[in-house]
Amino acid sequence: MTDLTMSFDPGASLNKVVYQVRDEKTPNLLVMQPEVILVTHEAMKSYVSNRIGHPRPEAEAWGVVDNKCFVVGCLAREFLADAGMRELKYERAVYKVLAAVGAIKQILGLPTKFSVSLAVLLPWNEYPDRERFERLLRASLKNYTFRDERLRVKLEHFECRPEGSGLAMSRLSTKGLDWFRSRSIATLMFGHRNTSALVFIEGKLNHIHTTTTDLGFHQMVEMVVRRTSGQNADTLTKAIFSAGAAISETQSAIAALAQSRDEHLKAEEVRVITSAIASSRTQYWRRLSAWLDTTLQPQLNVAEVILCGGAAHYFKKELQEYFSGTPTYWGDELMKQVQTTIFADHPNTTALAFRLLDGFGLFLYLQEREAAIV
């Protein structure tokens, strides 16, 4: 049996890892920031020699593979990394997986040699790269260092699925194969970087109607950046999600974005930011709904729409109205499972729990596959 089982969702706004060690009864969650950067060995040696404190492994994630020094997450931000919105996810995901595996190893005190079963989500338009991704992962995990500790990790079992399929597989497990085969099902993943539609017809993913667009939530954030002055995309994203649909000048999350020290100028700045968010939200939703019109054509006769992703949670009211004539599924059963197993001690985590559903569904699928192999 594999020593470590984990699903990995390399999001453009947050890396989400669900993992469980052999003989443990419940899974755990590891989240890391999405930034990745390659730095010189000299730059990393300088950082380590001048470091003060004792950060957790996931907050100081760096390593060396094939003589390349990579940095992931919070530490990567200190080296001025970005989220790589225009780069292929799977290329960066190799370094992200190495960092996550290394961090989990050090958090749990695992030996330097162990095995892992891994499932990864990729956008549909990068799904053809899954075999190349697997080859890179297998070779890299066999021999690399993480925070000056040499690791030799055997990739025992690997699954790669398109984003949105974790929740779809969970729905299949709940409703049964006959139900799944007897209707057309669409899974919509509204992510930060991409928006995808997986269309299942007669129990099989239909490649003609399945599609991905770069119309991710970052497009709305970039609209706000262009309409305001001095705003940071990452800070804006958090504030927009926190404010939700109730966009007003009295919203604390929005008011906190103002940078002016003069009270009169600050009030004017808040008005500009509020207006920018409201108008960008309207414009972005119009583009999303137009994409939905084109993607889910009436002749598909979709019987149920499965919705997931952070932007779906943000636009829940609009999506419910859009699909008022079609049954929707928001992963309620899976949501309860996530909240009772992973967030039992953190009740106010609904938004994060919802973003985790796809990866958690994939984790459960991986566990079932492992059990079947055994």
Side-chain angles (χ1 to χ4, degrees):
M1 186 176 178
T2 309
D3 298 312
L4 175 66
T5 300
M6 57 185 281
S7 70
F8 188 86
D9 183 358
S13 61
L14 196 68
N15 296 322
K16 301 170 284 293
V17 184
V18 181
Y19 67 94
Q20 188 170 337
V21 180
R22 184 176 57 187
D23 299 329
E24 289 289 327
K25 294 182 179 180
T26 57
N28 295 286
L29 174 66
L30 175 73
V31 295
M32 300 177 69
Q33 297 303 317
E35 289 81 4
V36 175
I37 193 170
L38 295 178
V39 301
T40 64
H41 294 270
E42 291 73 20
M44 184 50 62
K45 287 178 182 178
S46 175
Y47 164 80
V48 172
S49 64
N50 290 292
R51 176 189 58 201
I52 299 174
H54 301 279
R56 290 175 59 83
E58 68 270 29
E60 190 186 64
W62 65 276
V64 178
V65 63
D66 294 331
N67 205 36
K68 296 177 182 177
C69 187
F70 63 90
V71 188
V72 177
C74 292
L75 182 59
R77 292 183 172 185
E78 295 188 34
F79 288 91
L80 305 181
D82 60 34
M85 297 296 292
R86 291 171 176 80
E87 296 180 26
L88 292 174
K89 263 193 178 183
Y90 89 90
E91 292 181 342
R92 287 187 164 221
V94 172
Y95 298 116
K96 293 179 178 184
V97 170
L98 295 179
V101 170
I104 292 170
K105 183 271 172 202
Q106 294 189 353
I107 290 170
L108 300 178
L110 299 177
T112 56
K113 294 180 68 175
F114 59 96
S115 60
V116 60
S117 286
L118 173 68
V120 180
L121 292 165
L122 285 180
W124 171 249
N125 61 342
E126 291 189 40
Y127 191 57
D129 295 321
R130 61 191 180 281
E131 293 181 358
R132 187 180 301 111
F133 179 42
E134 180 180 357
R135 288 197 300 270
L136 286 171
L137 271 180
R138 286 191 182 277
S140 300
L141 284 166
K142 282 182 180 178
N143 184 19
Y144 77 104
T145 62
F146 181 75
R147 301 175 81 221
D148 282 331
E149 187 173 36
R150 183 167 295 280
L151 305 182
R152 297 184 184 277
V153 182
K154 180 182 180 183
L155 185 55
E156 193 80 44
H157 182 71
F158 179 75
E159 296 276 349
C160 184
R161 292 289 181 270
E163 292 175 343
S165 58
L167 194 53
M169 288 183 288
S170 174
R171 189 63 167 157
L172 165 61
S173 178
T174 301
K175 300 294 287 186
L177 189 56
D178 288 341
W179 177 89
F180 198 73
R181 286 173 171 171
S182 65
R183 64 205 67 215
S184 296
I185 305 293
T187 299
L188 299 177
M189 163 57 74
F190 296 87
H192 191 71
R193 174 177 174 173
N194 304 99
T195 299
S196 300
L198 306 183
V199 179
F200 297 87
I201 299 177
E202 296 182 344
K204 180 182 177 181
L205 186 67
N206 184 285
H207 289 214
I208 296 175
H209 298 290
T210 291
T211 183
T212 297
T213 174
D214 64 356
L215 192 60
F217 193 76
H218 75 98
Q219 297 269 13
M220 174 179 162
V221 176
E222 289 174 6
M223 290 181 202
V224 180
V225 171
R226 291 193 294 268
R227 294 170 178 177
T228 55
S229 177
Q231 291 299 317
N232 171 271
D234 186 55
T235 305
L236 261 178
T237 301
K238 294 175 182 176
I240 290 170
F241 267 104
S242 179
I247 304 169
S248 70
E249 296 172 25
T250 58
Q251 263 279 354
S252 58
I254 295 177
L257 293 170
Q259 300 174 12
S260 178
R261 295 183 178 181
D262 181 277
E263 288 301 318
H264 295 291
L265 294 177
K266 185 175 183 178
E268 176 61 26
E269 188 179 2
V270 171
R271 282 194 290 272
V272 170
I273 295 171
T274 303
S275 175
I277 294 174
S279 59
S280 298
R281 178 189 171 96
T282 300
Q283 182 179 345
Y284 178 67
W285 171 248
R286 285 175 180 167
R287 293 181 64 189
L288 266 185
S289 57
W291 177 80
L292 289 171
D293 291 342
T294 303
T295 303
L296 301 182
Q297 299 171 13
Q299 60 266 33
L300 288 176
N301 195 28
V302 173
E304 180 174 282
V305 176
I306 300 170
L307 296 137
C308 53
H313 187 269
Y314 180 74
F315 284 106
K316 187 170 185 176
K317 181 176 180 293
E318 287 87 347
L319 286 168
Q320 286 178 322
E321 291 176 354
Y322 184 91
F323 292 111
S324 59
T326 304
T328 56
Y329 177 70
W330 294 80
D332 294 340
E333 296 93 345
L334 203 60
M335 186 77 164
K336 291 177 183 177
Q337 197 171 348
V338 169
Q339 290 177 319
T340 55
T341 56
I342 292 180
F343 296 115
D345 299 325
H346 305 280
N348 299 318
T349 52
T350 302
L352 178 56
F354 185 80
R355 293 169 66 187
L356 189 64
L357 293 186
D358 199 27
F360 191 78
L362 186 65
F363 174 80
L364 296 180
Y365 170 78
L366 180 60
Q367 280 191 320
E368 290 179 2
R369 294 277 290 183
E370 283 191 285
I373 293 172
V374 174

